[in-house]
Amino acid sequence: MRPSGTFPREWGKVVTGYFLRRVLQGLISIVGASIVIFFISRLSGDPIVLLLPTEAPPALIEQVRQEMGLNEPVWKQYLIFAGKALGGDFGKSYRWQAPALELVLDRLPATIGLALAALAFSILLAVPFGVLSAVYRGSLIDTLGKGFAMLGQAMPNFWVGLLLVLIFAIHLDVLPAYGTGSAAHVLMPAIALGWYPVAAQTRIVRSAMLDVLDSDYIRMGRAVGASERVLVWKYALRNAAIPLVTILGVYFAAMLGGAFVVETVFAWPGVGRTVVEAVFSRDFPVVQVGVLLTSILFVTSNLLVDLSYGFIDPRIRYDR
Amino acid sequence: MVILALVVIAAAFGENVAPHDPNGLNLAAAFRPPVWEPKGEWAYLLGTDNLGRDILSRIIAGARVSLVSALYAIVFAGAIGGLIGMISGYFGGVVDAIIMRLVDIQMSIPALALALVIAAVFGADFDTVVIVIIVTYWTWYARIVRGEILSLKERDYVALAKVAGCGTATIFFRHLLPNIMNTLLVLATLQVGQVIIFEASLSFLGLGIQAPDVSWGLMLSDARNYITNAWWAITMPGIAIMITCLSANMIGDWLRDTFDPKRRQL
């Protein structure tokens, strides 16, 4: 810790400056994402075709066009869309005739819950794996861990899910194959989703652990005769976990992306499955909200990762 | 290496090595288990699916789709992303700022989500899959190439080339490109596995390759409907994906360590 006397005055300014810049960048990304999503959706052709029956009279078509602002230039349409979106109005789902935002927000807790469970699963595997392969570097455990990691990165998450269903739901009949409602339901989707990041997380823990185990205070601990187990699992792990903790937001964001497929496999009632279904029924308002909401979560968790570095380790300088 | 070579051969000479027509229906032979199971037959090495189609033949046919789409996508993503990265790094300033913001925007939409939007709009087929992959993966090349160029352009030989009156295009392709080729190659190899999994995910969701074309993801999506009847139909295509990605990743790692030992974290 720095004594307060040497604490540079401008430190606060540097931090706020960086903070503001990153938040601004995040906002630009989200606005940009909304533009991209809006324009791609518009390329699909006239929303009228999807809204009204083909035999609708021309007068009605014209009226709906006016109401929806479809006669305005495209950039103006985007501004209308964005203005409404800021007020939480993304239009009604073509299919369910309910506000699209509500529909997606209803499903959001399920997706976040699944992503958190998956994250918990991956950490539960990665930390012991990473620690053991650092402590016994070059041993059988290290090699096994590496092999396991490579295997994990070569397996699509939905296939892992299907294999789990095959083994645990069909052959052993111990877990429900799909749906939601109990702790048992979340187990397989969480494993399928959390499988992939295990490899990368193990690597992070391993290399951090190698650094820490080599540091003075651990040697000191050894010299005074502290037990190796306490040193490794209590003192070393506490510091080695920092890189993993700071980067968890990135993995959380990645889980949100992966959820689109895994939710479909397990009929998990989350945002991902809702969007996939909406794609099939060409329900664009729902697709737009779902994707935009995922992007916002994605940007936010990445932003938090960047900002958290400074809080956890004040030695990191912001003004690069 | 050997496995990847096998997959490439399967992709190239598919019709000739496949024991059966990948789309040949034979309802009498539906749900045959693989040869080592009690009811298995040598005629259907890895068993058959619900319509009696030979799974091995379908995996071979799927290899072509997977590899060809991955190849197209990676070549184009690499070319486009690489060029944009070079421009961004070389010119710097406003150009750089705009391009990097675009990269940020692109990266703020989860890849699969963007793929869903694009597939919803343009309809799902082979071309859409390739476009989606290009749109998703160019940012990697752009960012990494930009970083390389930032340091390369300060080198003396670039300054000399400028003094000697070389045009920008000459500097780009004669002087800078050869220096980033290794990076591009390593990145491309490391992406083969990812792209194959990405394509499989799209096809699995029904937003990628469509029947009668065969793809590994599509096979898994079909097999999901009769998962209780035929474990092999769900296992075999997945194993094909797994060993292909595994060998591509291993080659990628090896190339990276050989060409570019500094970039272990790539």
Side-chain angles (χ1 to χ4, degrees):
Chain A
M1 286 293 113
R2 229 185 249 268
S4 58
T6 62
F7 201 83
R9 264 254 179 89
E10 66 277 22
W11 184 247
K13 252 191 253 162
V14 173
V15 173
T16 10
Y18 174 80
F19 187 88
L20 287 178
R21 204 165 65 234
R22 279 299 284 118
V23 170
L24 194 69
Q25 274 178 13
L27 283 178
I28 293 176
S29 294
I30 290 171
V31 172
S34 75
I35 295 178
V36 171
I37 295 164
F38 175 81
F39 280 101
I40 297 180
S41 310
R42 269 299 132 78
L43 285 178
S44 66
D46 203 337
I48 292 289
V49 181
L50 293 165
L51 273 175
L52 296 174
T54 37
E55 67 273 17
L60 181 63
I61 292 181
E62 193 50 35
Q63 186 200 337
V64 175
R65 270 181 174 286
Q66 288 287 354
E67 277 171 16
M68 293 183 65
L70 289 174
N71 290 332
E72 306 282 350
V74 180
W75 62 269
K76 222 171 182 179
Q77 286 187 35
Y78 170 74
L79 287 183
I80 296 172
F81 164 80
K84 280 188 180 166
L86 282 178
D89 178 11
F90 284 87
K92 275 187 177 174
S93 155
Y94 298 162
R95 186 171 166 214
W96 303 105
Q97 297 303 322
L101 183 64
E102 258 174 51
L103 228 94
V104 174
L105 279 182
D106 268 359
R107 307 294 183 87
L108 194 60
T111 295
I112 291 181
L114 175 60
L116 287 178
L119 207 56
F121 167 77
S122 66
I123 296 169
L124 228 54
L125 275 192
V127 168
F129 262 157
V131 170
L132 288 178
S133 50
V135 173
Y136 306 102
R137 178 160 43 151
S139 73
L140 187 66
I141 292 186
D142 196 9
T143 322
L144 274 179
K146 233 185 220 161
F148 185 74
M150 291 213 76
L151 214 61
Q153 300 217 297
M155 294 163 84
N157 55 15
F158 64 92
W159 187 55
V160 174
L162 291 172
L163 287 184
L164 291 171
V165 169
L166 193 63
I167 297 170
F168 292 104
I170 295 172
H171 283 280
L172 299 177
D173 198 16
V174 288
L175 288 174
Y178 56 84
T180 168
S182 72
H185 281 98
V186 80
L187 217 54
M188 287 199 293
I191 295 175
L193 194 54
W195 188 262
Y196 187 80
V198 170
Q201 289 176 358
T202 305
R203 229 166 17 210
I204 292 172
V205 174
R206 179 179 181 273
S207 71
M209 201 67 191
L210 283 176
D211 280 350
V212 173
L213 284 178
D214 208 32
S215 66
D216 288 342
Y217 75 90
I218 295 293
R219 282 197 206 149
M220 181 71 185
R222 282 203 189 106
V224 301
S227 93
E228 191 70 21
R229 211 176 59 199
V230 174
L231 277 178
V232 168
W233 292 100
K234 194 169 166 201
Y235 294 103
L237 182 58
R238 196 176 286 173
N239 273 311
I242 290 178
L244 182 64
V245 172
T246 44
I247 212 166
L248 278 184
V250 172
Y251 289 109
F252 178 72
M255 303 280 96
L256 291 174
F260 282 94
V261 196
V262 171
E263 283 180 5
T264 308
V265 174
F266 291 98
W268 186 261
V271 176
R273 192 168 72 109
T274 309
V275 172
V276 171
E277 279 172 1
V279 166
F280 281 110
S281 50
R282 302 179 71 77
D283 196 346
F284 285 109
V286 174
V287 176
Q288 278 174 349
V289 187
V291 173
L292 196 59
L293 214 60
T294 320
S295 301
I296 292 173
L297 282 174
F298 201 79
V299 172
T300 315
S301 28
N302 281 324
L303 186 67
L304 288 179
V305 170
D306 280 4
L307 297 178
S308 70
Y309 283 128
F311 290 109
I312 294 187
D313 188 349
R315 283 169 304 184
I316 293 169
R317 304 260 305 168
Y318 285 108
D319 47 340
R320 271 174 295 162
Chain B
M1 200 90 159
V2 177
I3 290 170
L4 203 63
L6 272 179
V7 176
V8 171
I9 292 171
F13 306 105
E15 305 90 79
N16 306 324
V17 279
H20 298 271
D21 174 2
N23 279 319
L25 305 184
N26 181 3
L27 289 176
F31 291 136
R32 287 287 152 79
V35 61
W36 57 87
E37 290 276 301
K39 281 192 209 144
E41 276 176 43
W42 277 104
Y44 303 103
L45 217 52
L46 298 181
T48 62
D49 65 6
N50 60 331
L51 300 175
R53 296 174 295 192
D54 179 40
I55 289 182
L56 177 63
S57 307
R58 288 177 70 74
I59 287 179
I60 293 173
R64 168 174 293 180
V65 172
S66 293
L67 280 195
V68 171
S69 59
L71 203 70
Y72 265 125
I74 287 177
V75 167
F76 279 105
I80 296 170
L83 188 64
I84 292 177
M86 281 167 91
I87 292 173
S88 185
Y90 187 78
F91 293 109
V94 185
V95 181
D96 184 34
I98 291 176
I99 291 179
M100 283 301 113
R101 280 298 79 71
L102 282 180
V103 170
D104 279 353
I105 290 171
Q106 163 69 52
M107 287 187 136
S108 70
I109 309 177
L112 213 58
L114 186 65
L116 288 177
V117 179
I118 296 180
V121 171
F122 295 106
D125 58 14
F126 183 85
D127 297 338
T128 313
V129 171
V130 173
I131 291 171
V132 165
I133 301 176
I134 296 171
V135 169
T136 308
Y137 284 92
W138 71 270
T139 50
W140 288 85
Y141 295 93
R143 269 160 66 116
I144 287 169
V145 166
R146 169 182 175 268
E148 297 254 300
I149 296 291
L150 278 181
S151 75
L152 280 178
K153 74 171 178 184
E154 303 300 334
R155 303 277 173 84
D156 288 341
Y157 66 88
V158 177
L160 276 176
K162 255 190 243 171
V163 172
C166 290
T168 311
T170 322
I171 293 179
F172 266 34
F173 293 104
R174 290 272 311 271
H175 300 286
L176 293 176
L177 189 62
N179 282 298
I180 57 167
M181 218 48 211
N182 283 351
T183 310
L184 283 179
L185 201 68
V186 170
L187 192 56
T189 325
L190 284 173
Q191 280 190 346
V192 171
Q194 286 181 35
V195 169
I196 287 177
I197 289 182
F198 193 63
E199 181 272 314
S201 308
L202 280 180
S203 299
F204 176 75
L205 287 177
L207 298 167
I209 310 296
Q210 304 287 325
D213 283 343
V214 187
S215 118
W216 294 336
L218 197 60
M219 289 175 75
L220 287 173
S221 157
D222 282 348
R224 194 181 154 215
N225 299 323
Y226 44 87
I227 187 170
T228 40
N229 303 336
W231 60 265
W232 52 92
I234 214 114
T235 326
M236 301 306 168
I239 292 177
I241 296 177
M242 189 175 75
I243 55 179
T244 311
C245 294
L246 201 60
S247 44
N249 288 346
M250 283 163 91
I251 294 172
D253 281 347
W254 174 77
L255 275 179
R256 179 190 54 195
D257 294 345
T258 320
F259 279 157
D260 210 359
K262 289 169 300 180
R263 277 200 177 269
R264 289 277 159 112
Q265 77 282 13
L266 198 82

